[in-house]
Amino acid sequence: MTDLLFYRQKRVDGGLRSGIDLNGSPLAEGFREGDEEPNPVLLWYIDLRCSGEHLPHDADKAIEWFRENNDAFTGTLRRTAQELSRTGVDTEALPFRQQFRNLLPGVNVDLVISTLGRPEGRDVAQFLREFADDWLAQLDGLALSADV
């Protein structure tokens, strides 16, 4: 079984990090620095944890696989954002987890979201929409782990 993770994280200093890990090891990563004094504490994170037998095993193929399946992932993020826009996520229920079995043939996906506090928990739907809206740009901004 292969585990492939695509994540997005926002730090207290406004920095945004996106990346792809394979079986717990980084394949590719991108980082945009924030405007404030450096502070690496995470305000929130979104993980798309994919598992299956036929997932790609190298960075270029993983990036391409996420690009090819753009519609399935961004549609799922947007639908989940719509559901959560009415409620937000209570910090006592964090991390929030939603499972999507066979979102793609032979692939199970867990969407996992966590926030630092209650104010960010109210904005989870916005974070998901931004993740979906920036999907391809995030993939384009990733550097292979050997280059990071």
Side-chain angles (χ1 to χ4, degrees), residues 73-132:
F73 286 112
T74 59
T76 297
L77 291 171
R78 288 187 178 107
R79 281 188 299 278
T80 304
Q82 185 173 355
E83 293 168 13
L84 294 177
S85 66
R86 295 182 296 275
T87 60
V89 175
D90 188 343
T91 54
E92 290 182 20
L94 294 174
F96 170 85
R97 177 177 284 209
Q98 188 163 355
Q99 298 178 334
F100 300 94
R101 296 297 165 238
N102 294 308
L103 175 66
L104 298 163
V107 178
N108 293 321
V109 177
D110 287 345
L111 171 63
V112 182
I113 307 165
S114 193
T115 68
L116 179 63
R118 196 172 74 77
E120 294 81 19
R122 290 189 309 249
D123 295 331
V124 164
Q126 175 187 332
F127 306 150
L128 288 172
R129 279 191 292 275
E130 289 171 0
F131 193 20

Side-chain angles (χ1 to χ4, degrees), residues 9-132:
Q9 306 166 338
K10 183 159 188 179
R11 297 169 18 154
V12 168
D13 62 14
L16 276 171
R17 183 178 313 279
S18 298
I20 297 174
D21 290 355
L22 173 69
N23 298 327
S25 297
L27 288 181
E29 185 174 83
F31 181 68
R32 187 178 73 210
E33 294 206 27
D35 297 331
E36 301 177 24
E37 185 72 24
N39 185 339
V41 173
L42 295 181
L43 276 177
W44 54 262
Y45 70 82
I46 301 169
D47 286 355
L48 281 168
R49 301 174 183 176
C50 307
S51 60
E53 294 296 326
H54 303 291
L55 292 171
H57 285 90
D58 69 53
D60 289 328
K61 289 179 181 171
I63 291 169
E64 188 56 32
W65 182 81
F66 280 113
R67 187 181 313 284
E68 289 171 358
N69 292 295
N70 166 52
D71 291 341
F73 286 112
T74 59
T76 297
L77 291 171
R78 288 187 178 107
R79 281 188 299 278
T80 304
Q82 185 173 355
E83 293 168 13
L84 294 177
S85 66
R86 295 182 296 275
T87 60
V89 175
D90 188 343
T91 54
E92 290 182 20
L94 294 174
F96 170 85
R97 177 177 284 209
Q98 188 163 355
Q99 298 178 334
F100 300 94
R101 296 297 165 238
N102 294 308
L103 175 66
L104 298 163
V107 178
N108 293 321
V109 177
D110 287 345
L111 171 63
V112 182
I113 307 165
S114 193
T115 68
L116 179 63
R118 196 172 74 77
E120 294 81 19
R122 290 189 309 249
D123 295 331
V124 164
Q126 175 187 332
F127 306 150
L128 288 172
R129 279 191 292 275
E130 289 171 0
F131 193 20

Side-chain angles (χ1 to χ4, degrees), residues 18-19 27-31 59 63 138-148:
S18 298
L27 288 181
E29 185 174 83
F31 181 68
I63 291 169
Q138 289 174 80
L139 291 170
D140 290 342
L142 297 177
L144 302 184
S145 61
D147 300 334
V148 173

